[in-house]
Amino acid sequence: MIAKLTIERKRDGREIPAAELREFVAAYTRGEVPDYQMSAFAMAVLLKGMTDAETAALTDAMEHSGETVDWSDCPLPTADKHSTGGVGDKLSFIVQPLAAACGLAVPSLTGRGLGHTGGTADKLESIPGYNASLSLAEFKKVVGEVGVSMTVQTAEIAPADKKLYALRDVTGTVPSIPLITASILSKKLAEGAGTLVFDVKCGRGAFMKTRPEAEDLAAHLVAGAKAAGRKAAAIVNSMDEPTGRAVGNALEVKEALDVLAGDPDSPNDVVELSVALAAKMVELAAGVPSEEALAMCSARLADGSALRRFEAMVAAQGGDLAAFRALDFEAAFAADVRAEKSGRIASVDALGIAEAALRLGAGRGAVGDEIDPMAGVVLVKRSGDEVRKGDVLCRLYGSRDKCGEETVMCALRSYEVES
Ligand code: URA
């Protein structure tokens, strides 16, 4: 296998035979294809696309670049939810424990930040002591004991995706349907859950900007999962505006904890979408009729069962929620962004808010960059709210030296105020 020829074939828009793709991925996993060649290949795929057969071969090669998990000894139906990535997307912290509280086993391998989106693992690591890098054996143990575990894909699971994911993040090669499909499916199939529910985001703050693109990605994900013998469904959700109010690692965990605790001020979008996604998992995995699954999920969220599962998972993975709850968010406060005129908020651009959060240190600009767990943005005002000139639109958190004029302007420009 000569990597350069595979890259050139894709560059010229020709189809790559399955065996060649498998070899290319295997060589990359072994370190024989360097990152610069894989970057060129990823860009060629982004620009030229892939046939369904190529996407299936790439998925299969990435899934089998490491171990696959077998849950046949698990007495409960297994299910997981995966989001294609958005801004302020803290739903996993609610959906996964909620599904576990409804009687499912939820093994959930998550990612780090990608592009402008935050990573579930990075967010969880804002909980002091939380180990988001479990070994496969530890992951299985936590799922067995608590019913739910969230960790980054272990070194054993889909290592090709692990390497490629980090590379795509910094080479502008994220928004490609074949690459996203292969990335998500390879780790989700290797993770072994019998049911997969995909939360496919579309809009300004998503990788898929339009609904037809998001529906195409959803169809690829569901078809790929079903072809691999899993039950699967996808829900396409708008990501023009951030989900909920908080964007940033610790800030999002805090908001999710408030939702789990039944805070009456919880953002409706977070509550409704979490219940819908968990209910879809329960419906497919346990064969519960859809209305009943929705009622069950609403009840288990309201009665604190989902919160208890989340707390048990955090404890089992070494996290200290008391220390998290004691974090001093006011000390991390950097600036308020105020309305320049009175009116009604017509929209809040998710991408602009994500950029402000990134500038504040909530995400990575390059592979290996440190993130500031306390950095981010809290939307005080959201679409539809009335504001008066001088009112606080959003609050910025992070170190003050990262909160210059440009960061404030970036957050301010994200708000469209109609007078
Ligand atoms: N989530 C993933 O796991 N992979 C992608 O490529 C995009 C979102």
Side-chain angles (χ1 to χ4, degrees):
M1 196 272 319
I2 300 172
K4 178 171 156 343
L5 298 182
T6 307
I7 299 165
E8 286 174 355
R9 204 192 286 270
K10 191 39 55 195
R11 178 200 65 194
D12 296 340
R14 284 179 288 135
E15 183 160 5
I16 304 172
E20 185 177 326
L21 262 177
R22 267 184 246 283
E23 259 193 81
F24 183 73
V25 170
Y28 174 62
T29 311
R30 290 192 300 268
E32 290 161 23
V33 169
D35 279 351
Y36 56 80
Q37 283 189 308
M38 190 45 125
S39 306
F41 176 76
M43 186 56 84
V45 173
L46 181 130
L47 296 173
K48 296 292 165 129
M50 274 187 154
T51 63
D52 287 350
E54 284 177 307
T55 306
L58 182 65
T59 305
D60 187 63
M62 283 166 51
E63 177 192 347
H64 293 102
S65 62
E67 285 182 37
T68 53
V69 192
D70 176 13
W71 295 100
S72 53
D73 56 350
C74 179
L76 303 175
T78 52
D80 190 16
K81 167 299 293 181
H82 190 84
S83 160
T84 57
V87 178
D89 184 357
K90 67 279 296 171
L91 301 181
S92 292
F93 311 131
I94 303 155
V95 174
Q96 267 79 333
L98 181 52
C102 292
L104 307 185
V106 187
S108 193
L109 294 177
T110 72
R112 301 225 170 254
L114 187 66
H116 62 277
T117 66
T120 300
D122 297 321
K123 295 173 194 177
L124 284 167
E125 282 174 351
S126 68
I127 302 172
Y130 189 93
N131 182 359
S133 305
L134 300 182
S135 67
L136 198 47
E138 289 166 332
F139 176 56
K140 286 198 85 168
K141 185 162 177 279
V142 178
V143 173
E145 285 172 6
V146 183
V148 52
S149 174
M150 283 186 236
T151 183
V152 271
Q153 69 202 98
T154 66
E156 302 98 321
I157 299 281
D161 173 59
K162 197 170 175 160
K163 282 178 81 179
L164 183 53
Y165 191 92
L167 198 60
R168 286 169 56 221
D169 189 24
V170 291
T171 54
T173 50
V174 173
S176 147
I177 288 181
L179 293 180
I180 297 179
T181 303
S183 166
I184 293 178
L185 277 183
S186 62
K187 54 184 168 270
K188 292 290 135 180
L189 296 178
E191 167 193 286
T195 293
L196 294 170
V197 171
F198 301 104
D199 174 15
V200 178
K201 307 290 195 191
C202 80
R204 286 191 297 248
F207 297 128
M208 299 295 109
K209 301 294 177 203
T210 65
R211 194 157 270 270
E213 277 178 314
E215 278 166 2
D216 192 11
L217 175 59
H220 275 86
L221 289 168
V222 171
K226 286 187 175 168
R230 313 301 163 88
K231 294 178 192 161
I235 301 181
V236 175
N237 288 298
S238 163
M239 182 37 77
D240 285 326
E241 310 214 354
T243 304
R245 293 183 183 279
V247 178
N249 297 286
L251 292 167
E252 291 187 35
V253 173
K254 183 171 180 297
E255 185 170 58
L257 277 170
D258 291 343
V259 172
L260 286 165
D263 182 338
D265 291 332
S266 297
N268 280 344
D269 55 338
V270 177
V271 176
E272 281 165 19
L273 199 44
S274 298
V275 168
L277 289 162
K280 190 50 86 179
M281 290 163 76
V282 172
E283 180 191 331
L284 291 185
V288 175
S290 120
E291 289 302 311
E292 223 176 282
L294 278 168
M296 186 194 289
C297 289
S298 296
R300 299 282 153 83
L301 183 58
D303 70 11
S305 314
L307 174 61
R308 285 191 289 281
R309 289 292 172 138
F310 184 75
E311 288 171 341
M313 177 191 78
V314 170
Q317 295 192 211
D320 181 347
L321 269 184
F324 179 84
R325 288 184 168 115
L327 287 176
D328 189 354
F329 284 91
E330 280 315 306
F333 169 72
D336 276 332
V337 177
R338 293 177 184 274
E340 289 188 319
K341 62 174 183 177
S342 302
R344 193 183 135 273
I345 298 181
S347 65
V348 184
D349 177 15
L351 204 53
I353 295 295
E355 189 186 325
L358 185 73
R359 285 173 178 276
L360 287 159
R364 294 184 183 80
V367 171
D369 272 4
E370 286 283 318
I371 56 170
D372 175 355
M374 300 296 279
V377 181
V378 173
L379 309 182
V380 176
K381 299 286 183 189
R382 300 175 74 202
S383 272
D385 289 346
E386 297 290 336
V387 281
R388 299 180 69 82
K389 185 175 173 188
D391 281 355
V392 176
L393 294 172
C394 62
R395 311 198 87 194
L396 308 184
Y397 292 82
S399 65
R400 296 222 165 84
D401 57 316
K402 289 196 170 154
C403 189
E405 181 67 16
E406 271 181 74
T407 307
V408 172
M409 285 312 292
C410 181
L412 181 62
R413 277 196 305 265
S414 306
Y415 277 83
E416 194 193 332
V417 180
E418 279 172 348
S419 29

